Amino acid sequence: MGEMLIQLSPKQAKLKEELQEYFEGLITPDLQAELRDPEHFEGGGPEFKKAMRTMGADGWIGLSWKKELGGKNLSPMEQYIFVETVMRTGFPFPFLTTESVGPMIAEHGSDWAKEEVATKILKGELFFGIGYSEPNSGTDLASLQTKAIRNREGYLINGQKMWTSLANFSDYIWLAARTDFEAKNHKGISMFIVPTNDPGFSMTAINTLGDVRTNATFYDNIHVPESHLVGQPNEGWSLITSQLNLERLALVNHGPVEELYKNVLSLAQSTKINDNQYLIDLTWVQHNFAQVYSGIEALKLICWKQTWIMESGRLNMAEASVAKVYGSEFFIEAYRLLMEIMGELSLLKNDSELSILNAKLERMYRTASILTFGGGTNEVQRDIIAMAGLLMPRTR
Amino acid sequence: MDFSEMNHQGEIRDSLDRILVEHCVPENLKNFDAAFKHDAELMSFLASQGYLGLGIHEKYGGSGENLYDLGILFEKLGFHAAPLSLIGCLAEVAQTIQKFSEHESHQALIASILKGDIHTSAILEPLNQDPENPLTRAEIAGDKLTITGTKYLSELASISKSLLVSANSDEGVLLVLVDKEHANVSELTTTANTPAFKVDFDGVSIDRSAIIHAQGRGLEALKYLLQTSMVMRSYLALGITEKMTALIAAYTSEREQFGRVIGSFQAVSHRAADCFIDLECLRLVSQQAAINLNTNHDCENDALVAKIWAGNACHRISYSAQHLHGGMGVDKDYVLWRYCLLAKECELINGSASQNIDRLGLNITANQ
C-alpha cells in the first residue's frame, strides 16, 4: 500500500478537463435560455433532447454501464467526476434514467427491453420517470400498494404513484408494483417498464416551491406483456436498493455548491458598496465565505472517501449515510450564508436587470429543501449511522 | 485517491492502543488530576520504544518524516487522555527544527527529544491575536540578541531544557532557541490541569547562533510551526472526540429508563449520530491537512479548516456527551469529565473556531 493520497490522479484530472471542455461546447445559448424556463428546468424541451442525442452519439451516456452492455464501465471515481462536472454546468442530465434504470434494464431486462429500451437510453433518445413513492408509501417504500396482477398475457397494473418527476416528458415509467400479496412487504415487489402512451396512464402536475414540476401518476388497468417485467417476479426490491448508495452520493455531490461559492465570491469581489469598499471587504461577509469554504472541504472529502470505498468494492453503510445527512443539511446552510452575503438582491428572480447570477442562487435555495427528506429521509439515515456506525440498539 | 493507511500506520495505531490502554487506567490518571500532569514513566517508555521519533527523519533515529504518523500519536494520546502534553515539544520544536535548521547544534536537540528530554516552545502571548507577529522583541547588536517579552501556555516549560521562542526584530520574525535557565518560568493552572507556564524574558542576552533558521526565513518557519501545531492539535481533538463518542454509544446502549435502553430512543441515537458525523468530518480534514503539510510547508487554509472543525467538534461532542450521560457525565469517578476539560483546551488553543474563521475568510477573499 502506498501513502494516503487525497487528490485526483492525473488521469482523473484529465477526464475532468475533457468533460468541462465538452460541456462548454454542448451548452449553447439556446439551450441555456430553454433551461431558464420553469417548464424546462428539469429538461424535456427540444434543445435538451437535441443535446441528449448529441451526448449519446458522442458516447457520453452509459458511463457506468458494463462494457458488454454497451457502456464504458467507468470506475466510481470517474463517475463521480462526471456527475460533478455535469452538475456544475446546471444541465439537468437525467442520471436516474441513464445511470440507474438503464444499466438495470440492460442487465436484467427481457430481450425486448434490452434491444428496444436499453439501446435507446444509450442513444439519448428515451427517458424514464421513476415510479416508487405512493400517497401512503414514502419513507416506508416497501409498503407500496400499486398492484400488478399476473394473467395469461402478462400483467394488469392498477394504482397511483406520487412525485413521479420527469413523467411529463418520459416515454416510460420505471414502476415498482406489488405482485405477491401474501409475502411480507419488500418480498412481494416487482419492477416494470410501463409506457406512458398507454390509454390507462394519466397524470396531474404537482407544482413545487422550487418551480420544479413533478407529477401524480395514475395507472388504470394498464396491461403490459411479460417482456416488460425486469428481473425475476417478486425480486424487485433488490433492484430498487442495488444502486441506492451511488444515487445518494450523486445527490450530495460537492460540485454545484462549490461552483455557486465561486460565483458568489467573484461577484462579491467585484461589487462596490461605496467609493472605497467592495462587498468582500466586510468582515461578516468574509466570515460567511469561510463557513461555506470549510463546509465544502468536508463535503468534498466525505464524497471522495465514499467513492473510494465503492471503488474498492466495499460498502460502508454508516459513511454513505453520513454523506447524505451532512451534504443535504450543509446545502441549506451554505445557500443561506451565500444569500446573506448578497442580501435582498438574492430575492430577485431573473426577470429583473438587478438580479444576480441570473437568479441562480434564488433558484438553488428553493430546490435545496427536498434533499433532506428525498433519497432516504435523514431520520432513517441517522438511525443507520447510530446502528451501523456506533453499534447502538435499533430505534423502536 | 487512496484513503487507506499504510501497513506501518495501522501497526503504530494498534501498538499505541495496547500501551496506552494499559497505562492510562483510571487509577493512574487520578494521580495526575491535581498534581503536575506529566507522566515521566510513560514518557520514557514511549522514548524507549521509538514513538517519540514518529514523523522524524531516519537520520535522527526517527521513523521517517511524515506528519500523518505523528498525527496518530496525538490522536491516541487524546483518545486515552494520556497525561502528556507534547505538542510544543514534538510538533512545534522537533518538526520546525527538522525542516528549517541547518545547524548541527540545533539538530542535536532532535536526538535529545527522541531520548525523552523535553524541549518546548514559547510562542503564544496573552492578548496577541496574531501569533505570526510576536510582541516579544529581539534586539540585535552584532553577534548578540537581547530578548524581552512574555509568553504563555508554554507546555512543560519547568522541566524543559530549552525553549523555542518567537520574537520580532529589525530583521523580521525570528525563531530562537533559549536555554530554559535564562527564562523566568511560572506555573499556570488551566482548566484541564495541563502543565502550562508563563515565561518571561527580561532582557535575556544570547548568541545570534541561537536563531534556528537561515536569514530571512523566520516568518516562513513560524508559519510552518503554527500550522503544524494546529494540525496536530486537530488530531489530539480527534482522539478526544472519538473517545467521547464511543462513551456515548456504550453508555446509552446500557442505561435503561422506561424499561428500555435509552439508546433506542431516536432523540438519543440521533444526537449520537450527529457526533459521528462531526467526527468523520474532523478526521478527514485533519488527514488532508497533515498530508498536504508533508509536501507543502505552507498550507494555512487546510490547517485552518482542520482547526475550525476541531473547535466545533470538541464543543458539540463534549456537550452532547455530558448531556447524554446525565449525572454520570460530570461524576469524577467516571471517565468522561477529563475528556470534556481537554476538549475545551483543544477548542481554544491555536485559535478558536471563530478566530480561525476570521483568518480563513481573509485568506480566501483576498483579491488576487
Side-chain angles (χ1 to χ4, degrees):
Chain A
M1 266 180 293
E3 199 89 30
M4 188 180 285
L5 189 71
I6 310 184
Q7 61 188 46
L8 299 184
S9 70
K11 195 177 149 217
Q12 290 161 349
K14 194 167 158 276
L15 172 69
K16 191 169 170 175
E17 220 171 278
E18 198 183 333
L19 281 162
Q20 274 163 351
E21 271 171 37
Y22 181 75
F23 277 101
E24 270 164 35
L26 186 78
I27 300 178
T28 60
D30 283 350
L31 176 56
Q32 272 173 329
E34 179 183 290
L35 294 175
R36 276 200 290 274
D37 173 4
E39 186 65 20
H40 294 128
F41 277 166
E42 296 244 287
E47 291 295 327
F48 165 84
K49 287 191 169 167
K50 204 165 89 189
M52 284 304 295
R53 284 191 164 92
T54 308
M55 284 189 76
D58 294 340
W60 284 116
I61 298 179
L63 300 180
S64 63
W65 301 28
K66 291 178 184 163
K67 279 221 168 82
E68 57 268 32
L69 301 175
K72 286 199 171 172
N73 199 25
L74 287 197
S75 71
M77 197 65 224
E78 291 165 324
Q79 288 178 53
Y80 185 85
I81 292 167
F82 177 72
V83 175
E84 178 193 335
T85 317
V86 176
M87 286 176 97
R88 280 177 193 269
T89 68
F91 180 70
F93 188 81
F95 292 108
L96 284 173
T97 294
T98 67
E99 307 309 314
S100 289
V101 176
M104 281 191 272
I105 291 174
E107 184 150 7
H108 304 287
S110 64
D111 290 345
W112 166 80
K114 283 175 180 162
E115 280 156 35
E116 278 297 308
V117 181
T119 323
K120 285 188 178 163
I121 289 177
L122 279 180
K123 287 184 180 162
E125 293 174 357
L126 203 153
F127 303 96
F128 269 81
I130 308 293
Y132 288 163
S133 295
E134 296 180 1
N136 293 315
S137 300
T139 296
D140 181 13
L141 182 62
S143 69
L144 61 88
Q145 292 301 315
T146 293
K147 298 180 187 125
I149 311 275
R150 184 94 176 85
N151 57 28
R152 228 172 304 152
E153 296 86 29
Y155 290 87
L156 190 65
I157 295 171
N158 277 288
Q160 182 190 342
K161 293 288 175 182
M162 279 297 280
W163 322 117
T164 324
S165 298
L166 316 188
N168 41 308
F169 67 86
S170 289
D171 305 274
Y172 294 101
I173 305 298
W174 173 248
L175 187 91
R178 187 159 300 286
T179 39
D180 184 338
F181 301 86
E182 310 293 309
K184 266 279 172 201
N185 277 344
H186 62 271
K187 291 192 173 152
I189 295 170
S190 305
M191 296 308 305
F192 294 93
I193 299 172
V194 177
T196 54
N197 62 6
D198 190 285
F201 177 82
S202 62
M203 74 179 104
T204 55
I206 302 171
N207 296 306
T208 67
L209 173 152
D211 278 340
V212 176
R213 176 190 165 151
T214 183
N215 307 283
T217 49
F218 305 92
Y219 307 81
D220 181 15
N221 282 318
I222 296 184
H223 178 265
V224 293
E226 191 163 358
S227 61
H228 286 47
L229 169 75
V230 179
Q232 296 301 308
N234 303 322
E235 286 180 11
W237 189 251
S238 63
L239 292 183
I240 293 177
T241 54
S242 67
Q243 286 180 316
L244 225 46
N245 279 333
L246 209 59
E247 287 165 21
R248 280 191 188 135
L249 197 62
L251 293 179
V252 296
N253 192 294
H254 77 283
V257 68
E258 192 182 67
E259 197 65 23
L260 189 65
Y261 161 84
K262 286 183 184 168
N263 297 154
V264 179
L265 181 62
S266 79
L267 188 60
Q269 280 168 329
S270 58
T271 303
K272 274 204 152 177
I273 51 170
N274 58 42
D275 285 347
N276 315 311
Q277 278 188 305
Y278 290 89
L279 189 52
I280 203 72
D281 296 324
L282 301 177
T283 308
W284 69 265
V285 169
Q286 296 170 0
H287 291 182
N288 278 24
F289 277 122
Q291 298 280 9
V292 176
Y293 179 95
S294 57
I296 291 173
E297 283 295 293
L299 179 62
K300 175 193 78 180
L301 292 167
I302 287 173
C303 289
W304 279 356
K305 183 172 183 186
Q306 186 58 31
T307 310
W308 167 79
I309 288 173
M310 290 176 184
E311 196 118 297
S312 57
R314 290 173 295 133
L315 176 74
N316 186 319
M317 280 182 53
E319 290 194 26
S321 296
V322 166
K324 165 66 175 48
V325 173
Y326 174 75
S328 58
E329 293 178 4
F330 168 67
F331 289 154
I332 288 172
E333 191 58 26
Y335 296 154
R336 179 186 183 210
L337 290 164
L338 294 174
M339 288 181 84
E340 282 183 353
I341 290 169
M342 299 314 300
E344 296 95 331
L345 280 175
S346 312
L347 301 172
L348 300 180
K349 296 198 170 195
N350 59 356
D351 51 7
S352 161
E353 62 186 34
L354 281 171
S355 67
I356 50 163
L357 304 172
N358 289 319
K360 180 177 167 185
L361 183 54
E362 194 277 335
R363 208 165 51 244
M364 279 177 81
Y365 104 85
R366 277 189 291 125
T367 56
S369 61
I370 63 168
L371 290 182
T372 58
F373 60 85
T377 193
N378 285 5
E379 277 71 21
V380 172
Q381 305 308 316
R382 283 190 167 87
D383 285 349
I384 294 171
I385 293 169
M387 277 193 296
L390 291 167
L391 307 180
M392 286 173 65
R394 180 178 288 275
T395 36
R396 289 184 287 179
Chain B
M1 203 70 63
D2 185 357
F3 284 86
S4 54
E5 287 191 335
M6 294 193 285
N7 287 334
H8 82 271
Q9 289 164 337
E11 284 160 19
I12 296 168
R13 188 177 292 284
D14 292 346
S15 52
L16 275 172
D17 263 330
R18 276 196 301 276
I19 294 166
L20 294 172
V21 83
E22 204 170 293
H23 202 91
C24 299
V25 289
E27 304 82 72
N28 188 28
L29 295 183
K30 273 198 174 92
N31 294 330
F32 297 95
D33 285 342
F36 181 60
K37 199 168 101 179
H38 176 68
D39 191 336
E41 197 189 317
L42 177 59
M43 182 76 179
S44 48
F45 185 72
L46 291 178
S48 71
Q49 301 296 305
Y51 290 103
L52 304 184
L54 289 173
I56 296 291
H57 196 284
E58 289 89 344
K59 73 180 174 196
Y60 303 112
S63 63
E65 285 183 90
N66 189 343
L67 288 172
Y68 190 95
D69 295 359
L70 186 58
I72 297 174
L73 175 66
F74 284 111
E75 180 186 342
K76 286 300 156 192
L77 291 175
F79 189 87
H80 296 281
L84 287 176
S85 300
L86 299 175
I87 287 186
C89 180
L90 298 182
E92 298 182 1
V93 177
Q95 289 297 326
T96 308
I97 287 182
Q98 165 167 270
K99 297 287 187 312
F100 287 90
S101 165
E102 288 153 6
H103 287 286
E104 269 179 41
S105 63
H106 301 151
Q107 292 166 349
L109 187 139
I110 298 178
S112 162
I113 288 174
L114 262 59
K115 275 193 314 190
D117 294 336
I118 302 292
H119 299 267
T120 198
S121 64
I123 303 292
L124 302 178
E125 297 167 341
L127 286 178
N128 180 1
Q129 294 276 306
D130 181 12
E132 283 180 19
N133 194 9
L135 302 170
T136 298
R137 285 289 304 175
E139 299 304 338
I140 302 172
D143 280 346
K144 290 284 181 190
L145 304 176
T146 307
I147 302 190
T148 307
T150 296
K151 300 287 184 177
Y152 82 149
L153 296 178
S154 170
E155 290 169 348
L156 298 170
S158 64
I159 59 166
S160 184
K161 288 187 164 8
S162 52
L163 303 166
L164 185 62
V165 183
S166 56
N168 253 314
S169 74
D170 293 344
E171 295 177 9
V173 170
L174 304 176
L175 281 178
V176 190
L177 268 175
V178 183
D179 196 302
K180 201 274 302 288
E181 301 310 320
H182 294 321
N184 194 355
V185 170
S186 50
E187 188 164 7
L188 303 168
T189 312
T190 69
T191 191
N193 192 35
T194 294
F197 293 82
K198 177 167 165 281
V199 184
D200 290 297
F201 300 96
D202 186 12
V204 175
S205 176
I206 50 170
D207 280 351
R208 194 188 165 93
S209 62
I211 301 171
I212 64 151
H213 47 80
Q215 192 154 9
R217 293 189 73 193
L219 183 59
E220 193 190 339
L222 178 57
K223 281 168 82 91
Y224 175 77
L225 178 150
L226 292 169
Q227 290 171 28
T228 307
S229 185
M230 272 196 269
V231 177
M232 291 301 118
R233 200 167 306 276
S234 301
Y235 269 97
L236 191 64
L238 175 63
I240 292 166
T241 49
E242 267 173 340
K243 178 67 176 192
M244 292 196 286
T245 307
L247 289 171
I248 291 171
Y251 182 77
T252 62
S253 298
E254 273 180 14
R255 166 78 174 167
E256 285 187 26
Q257 286 291 279
F258 306 104
R260 54 194 262 206
V261 290
I262 60 172
S264 69
F265 289 102
Q266 221 172 22
V268 171
S269 67
H270 284 195
R271 193 149 182 197
D274 283 337
C275 295
F276 188 89
I277 295 171
D278 271 340
L279 194 54
E280 195 54 26
C281 292
L282 173 57
R283 186 191 322 279
L284 289 165
V285 294
S286 301
Q287 288 173 343
Q288 171 171 264
I291 288 170
N292 288 349
L293 203 51
N294 270 336
T295 46
N296 175 358
H297 293 170
D298 189 3
C299 301
E300 189 175 350
N301 290 353
D302 290 336
L304 286 167
V305 168
K307 188 57 185 49
I308 288 163
W309 274 100
N312 288 334
C314 276
H315 172 76
R316 291 196 287 247
I317 296 178
S318 173
Y319 285 96
S320 293
Q322 290 177 60
H323 173 78
L324 293 174
H325 276 83
M328 285 293 278
V330 291
D331 181 348
K332 285 192 164 183
D333 283 331
Y334 184 67
V335 293
L336 180 66
W337 69 279
R338 281 189 198 90
Y339 291 94
C340 299
L341 298 180
L342 284 169
K344 184 50 80 179
E345 289 198 357
C346 257
E347 181 192 339
L348 291 181
I349 301 176
N350 295 112
S352 66
S354 296
Q355 196 182 341
N356 287 333
I357 279 286
D358 185 64
R359 177 76 187 216
L360 179 63
L362 269 178
N363 289 353
I364 60 179
T365 59
N367 268 309
Q368 301 299 328

